[in-house]
Amino acid sequence: GSQKPIAFCEGDDKSSLDYSVYRAVLGNKYTVIPVGGHAEVIKNCEVLNSSPMMNIESIGIVDGDNYSADKIKNLQEKGIRVLPFNEIEMLLLSDEVLIHTMRTIYPVDYEKKIEKFKEAFFDTIDQRKDKIALTNTTMQVNDFIAKEKIQEASSLKSIQENIRKISEYDISKVYSEKVQQIETAVSKKDYNQLLILCNLKKEISRGVANSFLDNNYEEKAIQQLQTNMELQRQIRVEYFEIE
C-alpha cells in the first residue's frame, strides 16, 4: 500500500541497525522494509519489479561483503544497490558521518578525536587481519562453489569438469592475497579501503569507537543521520547515487 518506491534492506525487523540507518537516509524518498538476509532482499526486489500488477518501483540494498566487481555488476542489473562498505557498521564510520557526528559532540577538538580513533582502527585491523581474511576467504569460496554447482549435467564429462574446477580451487592463494591486501591498506593508512575490507562489526563500531570517539558512538551517529539533512543528502548522493 506504499505510495513511495520500496527499498528492501537487510535486517530482521525495524529494530535492526540496517533499518535505522536506511530509514534515516532514504526515508524521505523510499518506504524502507527490512526482510532478513541478502538473499531475501534480492528475492523481494526481483518479485516486486517483475510484477506488472503492483506497478511499484523497488530497489534492494545489501552489505558490500567485499564482493567482486562481477558480482556487484550482476546485482546492480537486478536493481540491487551494494553498500560500498563491508557492512552497515562501517558506513557509520565513513568520514562524512564521523566528521558530522564528532563535530557536534566535540566542536573544538573533534579532529584530534578522529585521528586517535583512526590510529586505533589501523592497529586493530593489523592485529585482526587473519580473522578478516578468513571471513572474506570463506565468502569468496562459497560464491565460487555456488557458481560452479552442477545445475543440470549434459554429460558425465561436464560433471567431472565441475568437480575438477572445485578441487583445484586454490584457497591458500585466496587467503594470502586477502592478507596482503589488508597489510598493504594498513601500511598506506588507506582508511576507506579498510572500511571495504573490515568485517569486525561491533568490535569496531562499539568497541574501538566507544573507547576513542565517544560512549555509545553508534547511537549518536544514527541520531546525526536522523536529524542532519545535509548529511543525509551527502550519504544518498555519494554512496547510493540518489538525489
Side-chain angles (χ1 to χ4, degrees):
S2 173
Q3 299 302 308
K4 298 178 185 176
I6 303 293
F8 295 111
C9 72
E10 298 185 55
D12 293 329
D13 53 42
K14 293 184 177 181
S15 67
S16 69
L17 180 61
D18 297 79
Y19 175 77
S20 297
V21 171
Y22 293 130
R23 187 172 185 273
V25 175
L26 303 176
N28 289 336
K29 306 280 186 179
Y30 292 85
T31 296
V32 179
I33 302 177
V35 291
H38 73 278
E40 287 75 24
V41 171
I42 296 167
K43 179 180 178 182
N44 277 275
C45 189
E46 286 180 329
V47 168
L48 193 57
N49 286 337
S50 64
S51 173
M53 300 293 291
M54 298 298 290
N55 195 30
I56 298 176
E57 176 195 347
S58 75
I59 63 171
I61 308 171
V62 297
D63 288 348
D65 288 327
N66 203 25
Y67 287 148
S68 67
D70 285 343
K71 183 159 186 175
I72 290 173
K73 181 180 178 183
N74 180 261
L75 289 171
Q76 288 173 337
E77 290 172 352
K78 297 178 180 179
I80 308 298
R81 309 291 177 94
V82 179
L83 184 70
F85 302 104
N86 196 285
E87 299 161 324
I88 191 67
E89 286 84 355
M90 299 302 108
L91 172 62
L92 296 179
L93 296 168
S94 64
D95 281 323
E96 294 86 353
V97 180
L98 263 181
I99 291 170
H100 279 279
T101 303
M102 296 305 293
R103 191 166 55 195
T104 299
I105 304 170
Y106 298 99
V108 176
D109 58 353
Y110 71 93
E111 291 177 324
K112 290 182 179 178
K113 286 271 190 181
I114 291 174
E115 184 180 345
K116 288 182 179 179
F117 162 75
K118 287 188 176 181
E119 289 174 3
F121 173 78
F122 292 133
D123 288 343
T124 302
I125 298 296
D126 192 41
Q127 294 167 15
R128 305 283 279 158
K129 61 191 174 190
D130 290 337
K131 174 178 169 46
I132 297 169
L134 281 171
T135 302
N136 284 334
T137 299
T138 300
M139 294 192 67
Q140 190 165 328
V141 170
N142 285 337
D143 283 346
F144 174 79
I145 292 174
K147 182 180 176 182
E148 294 298 328
K149 185 172 67 174
I150 302 167
Q151 301 292 344
E152 184 176 344
S154 58
S155 67
L156 179 60
K157 186 176 181 179
S158 67
I159 297 175
Q160 292 171 330
E161 180 64 18
N162 274 91
I163 296 297
R164 183 189 64 77
K165 285 183 181 180
I166 293 172
S167 66
E168 292 180 357
Y169 189 69
D170 193 343
I171 299 174
S172 295
K173 182 181 178 183
V174 173
Y175 171 75
S176 62
E177 287 176 349
K178 291 295 178 187
V179 172
Q180 181 61 53
Q181 193 178 9
I182 295 165
E183 289 176 341
T184 299
V186 170
S187 67
K188 292 181 177 180
K189 304 294 184 185
D190 192 339
Y191 184 67
N192 290 331
Q193 177 64 20
L194 289 172
L195 291 181
I196 295 172
L197 295 169
C198 180
N199 47 43
L200 297 178
K201 292 191 176 184
K202 305 298 183 187
E203 185 174 340
I204 300 294
S205 67
R206 292 192 177 177
V208 180
N210 286 359
S211 296
F212 290 90
L213 293 173
D214 202 48
N215 288 334
N216 301 315
Y217 169 79
E218 194 175 276
E219 289 78 4
K220 291 171 183 176
I222 293 172
Q223 289 172 5
Q224 189 66 208
L225 281 169
Q226 291 170 335
T227 58
N228 189 324
M229 294 182 68
E230 178 189 349
L231 178 58
Q232 292 169 8
R233 186 181 181 281
Q234 275 186 293
I235 298 299
R236 278 200 310 270
V237 173
E238 180 68 23
Y239 300 122
F240 299 103
E241 299 181 351
I242 296 172
E243 283 289 345

